């Protein structure tokens, strides 16, 4: 895939899936605008991209804040004039049984995982409409499709991302813009490394492929949805989960 000349924003790009996506887009020639709440690790990702002769810019921003999304997008548009790809990947968990879930845990997860997608999509969409071209990929989750004990907040946010994806896909389909989601299963990243080993083993037993996925395995699906080959695909959810949900 040749992404030369493509300008792309990846949120949550400091580590895990977002980092893998950013590195791969840069490898394919895209300029990558790395957004994350943690700046130090973001600088390391940018250094890695530049060391491999790729193009990267870094923005420390909280995706849950509209003013920060506006700041990032205005700066990018000032420089490169256009935004071709947006990958809404930043996400958090704050797990608890509903009975014990604090309002702050609900709000924090919805604000990052769902409002963050709204903030960045709304902010880039005018530019994409003007260019009559754009690709948005939102990272949802298997949990948004099947639910999970202790994750009412997270599953609601990720199901919300799917509804958002389909609605926006319908709104902008005639403008050359596609909007899709990728729903990962259990992937080896800092988000899942803290799970107790017994819980991890339970998931491995449940997954038909008997292993967690890698960030790179999510990246392949994202890359395809961003490519010209996927031009006629919009409003879809690609499941990448080792067969855990069919
Ligand atoms: P991760 O390793 O925790 O990386 C997420 C990144 O997003 C972190 O760098 C995080 O920074 C950043 N972030 C958090 N809040 C932010 C905010 N308000 N603004 C900007 N950046 C923020 O997670 P991951 O596993 O790579 O997950 C990436 C995406 O895939 C998430 O949307 C997640 O829900 C989804 N997903 C993951 C899995 C999995 O098994 N790993 C499965 C399904 C879906 P901090 O570390 O400082 O919070």
């Amino acid at each position: 895939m040749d992404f030369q000349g493509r300008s792309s924003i990846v949120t949550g790009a400091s580590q895990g899936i977002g980092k893998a996506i950013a590195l791969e887009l840069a490898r394919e020639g895209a300029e990558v605008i790395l957004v994350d709440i943690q700046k130090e690790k973001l600088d390391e990702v940018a250094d890695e991209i530049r060391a491999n002769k790729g193009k990267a810019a870094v923005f420390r921003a909280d995706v849950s804040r509209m003013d920060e999304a506006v700041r990032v997008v205005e700066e990018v548009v000032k420089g490169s004039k256009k935004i071709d790809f947006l990958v809404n990947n930043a996400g958090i968990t704050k797990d608890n049984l509903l009975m014990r879930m604090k309002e702050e845990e609900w709000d924090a997860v919805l604000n990052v995982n769902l409002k963050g997608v709204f903030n960045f999509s709304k902010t880039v969409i005018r530019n994409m409409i003007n260019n009559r071209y754009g690709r948005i990929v939102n990272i949802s989750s298997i949990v948004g499709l099947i639910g999970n004990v202790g994750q009412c907040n997270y599953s609601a946010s990720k199901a919300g991302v799917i509804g958002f994806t389909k609605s926006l896909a319908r709104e902008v389909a005639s403008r050359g813009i596609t909007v899709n989601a990728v729903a990962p299963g259990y992937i080896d990243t800092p988000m899942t490394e803290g799970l107790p080993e017994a819980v991890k083993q339970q998931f491995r037993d449940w997954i038909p492929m008997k292993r967690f996925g890698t960030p790179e395995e999510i990246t392949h699906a994202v890359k395809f949805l961003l490519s010209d080959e996927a031009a006629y695909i919009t409003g879809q959810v690609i499941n990448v989960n080792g067969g855990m949900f069919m």
Side-chain angles (χ1 to χ4, degrees):
M1 274 154 207
D2 184 5
F3 292 158
Q4 288 293 335
R6 294 294 187 202
S7 165
S8 55
I9 294 179
V10 181
T11 70
S14 279
Q15 62 184 32
I17 295 169
K19 176 181 173 182
I21 293 169
L23 292 175
E24 186 58 22
L25 296 191
R27 238 176 259 128
E28 295 290 345
E31 176 182 5
V32 191
I33 291 100
L34 307 159
V35 176
D36 203 287
I37 203 152
Q38 11 172 351
K39 176 85 162 57
E40 268 162 43
K41 282 202 200 162
L42 213 49
D43 285 331
E44 287 169 23
V45 179
D47 288 344
E48 192 173 335
I49 289 175
R50 292 182 194 124
N52 293 312
K53 305 205 180 341
K55 288 189 212 131
V58 163
F59 287 89
R60 203 216 73 90
D62 178 348
V63 297
S64 69
R65 290 191 40 189
M66 179 57 101
D67 59 336
E68 301 208 356
V70 169
R71 174 175 60 82
V72 171
V73 172
E74 279 180 357
E75 281 290 314
V76 174
V77 170
K78 238 191 272 167
S80 66
K81 307 277 182 272
K82 66 180 177 110
I83 295 160
D84 299 301
F85 304 157
L86 168 64
V87 182
N88 283 308
N89 164 80
I92 58 169
T93 52
K94 293 209 180 286
D95 298 352
N96 226 333
L97 294 174
L98 182 66
M99 255 185 354
R100 296 194 197 124
M101 188 174 285
K102 297 185 188 74
E103 191 179 349
E104 302 87 85
E105 290 169 335
W106 173 270
D107 287 344
V109 169
L110 270 289
N111 281 339
V112 174
N113 297 9
L114 185 55
K115 189 167 179 235
V117 173
F118 164 76
N119 288 342
F120 268 83
S121 303
K122 181 171 165 61
T123 312
V124 302
I125 206 71
R126 190 178 297 279
N127 185 269
M128 288 183 174
I129 288 172
N130 288 343
N131 296 330
R132 301 194 80 78
Y133 177 85
R135 297 265 189 275
I136 298 177
V137 177
N138 298 321
I139 306 301
S140 177
S141 168
I142 186 172
V143 171
L145 294 158
I146 66 173
N148 194 20
V149 172
Q151 292 200 307
C152 284
N153 50 0
Y154 185 77
S155 61
S157 72
K158 294 299 186 179
V161 165
I162 292 173
F164 178 93
T165 299
K166 293 182 180 187
S167 297
L168 183 60
R170 287 183 189 275
E171 284 184 23
V172 297
S174 63
R175 314 298 176 100
I177 302 166
T178 68
V179 189
N180 291 289
V182 172
Y186 283 80
I187 309 301
D188 271 320
T189 71
M191 185 180 268
T192 50
E193 78 188 356
L195 288 172
E197 187 46 43
V199 174
K200 284 189 184 175
Q201 194 50 49
Q202 271 176 356
F203 283 124
R204 280 188 214 106
D205 291 342
W206 178 18
I207 299 166
M209 289 190 185
K210 302 291 172 215
R211 65 171 178 85
F212 280 23
T214 65
E216 290 69 28
E217 285 169 325
I218 303 306
T219 300
H220 298 312
V222 172
K223 208 167 79 166
F224 170 64
L225 289 170
L226 295 174
S227 72
D228 288 346
E229 286 76 4
Y232 201 54
I233 300 175
T234 198
Q236 304 304 309
V237 182
I238 297 192
N239 293 301
V240 185
N241 59 31
M244 200 176 177
F245 167 66
M246 304 182 180

